[in-house]
Amino acid sequence: MKPWEAYYRSVTPYVPGEQPQGARLIKLNTNENPYPPAPGVARALKELDASALRKYPDPAASELTAALAGYHGLAPEQIFVGVGSDDVLGMAFLTFFNSGKPVLFPDVTYSFYPVWAELFGVPYETVPLDESFQIRPEDYARENGGVLFPNPNAPTGCYLPLEQVEAILRLNRDVAVIVDEAYIDFGGTSARELLDRYENLLVVRTFSKSRSLAGMRIGYAMGAPSLIRAMQNVKYSYNSYTMDLPSIRLGVESIKDEAYFRETVGRITATRERAKERFRGLGFVCTDSMANFLFVRHEKVPAEELFEVLREQQIYVRHFRGPRVSDYLRVTVGTEEEMEALFQFLGSYVSRR
Ligand SMILES: *Cc1c(COP(=O)(O)O)cnc(C)c1O
């Protein structure tokens, strides 16, 4: 080891799903949207004037912040935008979780949470989900330095009804409570409507899934002005110009086209509901996912085997190692045609086993 290597920060990074290249593959492994972004987004991208890139972007991304505020019926002071919700969540960790007490999140959840906790030196405790992968609000009634969970949860897709989200808030009035709503557009009620009553609530969203813009990196948070201001102070202490000009412009265009948004989200949820039936018909156990993915386990065939044989067919799904989840596959909802190809193969494979 070189002497300076002893001073490196030692981290175990988050492992994103692979991004295989090729035209014929079916990619159902990272919860991307199978449909393109709104037509106005493509138009704005074409019309983007390269000479405008000469200047720094607006550090406050005011245009996008205003569009989001208008969309959600909030004040611009209640919106924080960032480079994907991963950036927003990372900033939230840095901003809110400094009590020295453990932050609470579920044992089965987005695997980035423990990575940020380690990176920023935030102590944490995981709270087990019940046998049916549900969050039990009463389990969050203990001393903590903050609470964080996705709703619907990942990778299970399980949704926690709004009354129960509120129950967690009632039990945690003195710490920041963060609800990661990466998948809320695919079903369920947003905690957005609780913002008036809970000044310690932060609701985090992304353009990566329901708005087909994973490649653009846009995320945001909604919360009381004091929370948002605190996050901005941290952001401006690290990198003022997080949102580049194309992200700001294209994000605004996406927000404008509500009809297209509803249409594509509707198509995905309809495909998801049909896919649940197909999986169950083939002998899979399947959670009642409210997200744009399904969390499934076959009664007889191990998940790892299915993952491998699907991969040989150029069908990519996600398999997580670790307790409670390694029996399952997470399958993103693709187009009807992609799902049909998946079920054609699975149907013949599991019947031969
Ligand atoms: C996808 C995802 C995110 C991150 O999305 P970005 O692409 O960074 O906006 C955050 N939380 C959960 C639960 C996710 O699944």
Side-chain angles (χ1 to χ4, degrees):
M1 191 160 90
K2 308 273 192 277
W4 57 87
E5 290 179 357
Y7 308 131
Y8 288 3
R9 185 182 287 267
S10 142
V11 285
T12 311
Y14 170 74
V15 183
E18 58 185 319
Q19 292 291 7
Q21 303 297 322
R24 297 209 36 242
L25 58 87
I26 297 182
K27 192 172 178 305
L28 307 174
N29 69 333
T30 53
N31 297 345
E32 289 141 337
N33 197 308
Y35 302 111
V41 172
R43 224 175 297 127
L45 185 61
K46 270 205 207 89
E47 286 166 8
L48 204 73
D49 174 10
S51 73
L53 300 177
R54 194 172 52 77
K55 292 196 279 180
Y56 282 105
D58 170 11
S62 314
E63 236 187 297
L64 181 56
T65 304
L68 286 166
Y71 184 76
H72 288 293
L74 296 168
E77 295 71 38
Q78 292 176 280
I79 306 284
F80 176 92
V81 297
V83 186
S85 54
D86 285 342
D87 178 41
V88 176
L89 289 162
M91 287 290 148
F93 260 77
L94 272 174
T95 309
F96 301 120
F97 298 154
N98 299 294
S99 68
K101 292 178 194 162
V103 167
L104 304 180
F105 48 80
D107 63 339
V108 175
T109 196
Y110 188 33
S111 48
F112 218 137
Y113 299 160
V115 176
W116 282 309
E118 301 279 354
L119 177 65
F120 300 135
V122 173
Y124 68 94
E125 280 171 16
T126 58
V127 181
L129 299 174
D130 73 12
E131 328 67 59
S132 51
F133 290 123
Q134 280 294 343
I135 290 173
R136 279 178 303 230
E138 60 272 27
D139 294 346
Y140 291 78
R142 51 166 136 140
E143 194 171 28
N144 65 68
V147 174
L148 166 67
F149 58 93
N151 197 29
N153 196 7
T156 62
C158 297
Y159 167 70
L160 189 69
L162 195 62
E163 311 83 70
Q164 297 191 43
V165 172
E166 187 164 11
I168 293 176
L169 282 156
R170 273 199 301 268
L171 292 166
N172 290 280
R173 292 188 175 272
D174 301 330
V175 293
V177 175
I178 302 178
V179 185
D180 178 355
E181 293 190 337
Y183 301 104
I184 197 73
D185 291 324
F186 300 105
T189 307
S190 171
R192 145 76 188 86
E193 59 186 79
L194 301 175
L195 287 174
D196 290 342
R197 276 176 287 142
Y198 297 90
E199 273 183 78
N200 58 329
L201 168 64
L202 192 79
V203 179
V204 177
R205 295 279 189 92
T206 176
F207 281 50
S208 298
K209 280 86 184 218
S210 57
R211 293 191 175 273
S212 312
L213 283 169
M216 210 61 233
R217 314 305 300 128
I218 307 172
Y220 61 104
M222 303 181 268
S226 68
L227 293 186
I228 299 302
R229 217 175 306 120
M231 287 181 76
Q232 277 161 353
N233 289 342
V234 170
K235 167 194 148 159
Y236 290 126
S237 307
Y238 181 70
N239 177 4
S240 302
Y241 303 105
T242 54
M243 302 306 289
D244 59 53
L245 185 73
S247 299
I248 297 170
R249 292 260 171 89
L250 304 192
V252 170
E253 288 304 321
S254 172
I255 293 291
K256 281 185 191 162
D257 199 340
E258 181 66 9
Y260 181 86
F261 171 72
R262 281 179 192 267
E263 219 263 320
T264 46
V265 164
R267 256 195 260 172
I268 292 166
T269 54
T271 304
R272 176 190 71 202
E273 293 310 305
R274 281 191 287 273
K276 282 178 191 168
E277 293 311 311
R278 292 290 291 275
F279 271 121
R280 288 177 182 139
L282 292 174
F284 283 84
V285 176
C286 181
T287 64
D288 189 26
S289 172
M290 294 275 262
N292 69 335
F293 56 82
L294 294 147
F295 196 53
V296 302
R297 164 173 75 79
H298 194 263
E299 283 156 358
K300 296 198 195 76
V301 190
E304 203 160 354
E305 174 182 333
L306 288 172
F307 174 82
E308 292 299 340
V309 296
L310 283 167
R311 206 161 183 279
E312 284 162 19
Q313 298 298 309
Q314 301 265 73
I315 301 175
Y316 290 78
V317 299
R318 192 93 197 255
H319 176 247
F320 295 95
R321 288 173 205 286
R324 301 190 78 185
V325 295
S326 59
D327 292 344
Y328 285 79
L329 292 175
R330 192 196 67 188
V331 182
T332 304
V333 177
T335 62
E336 279 292 321
E337 297 70 36
E338 288 172 325
M339 299 311 274
E340 191 52 43
L342 170 76
F343 291 124
Q344 285 297 329
F345 175 76
L346 283 179
S348 69
Y349 189 83
V350 299
S351 68
R352 278 185 277 116
R353 278 287 267 92

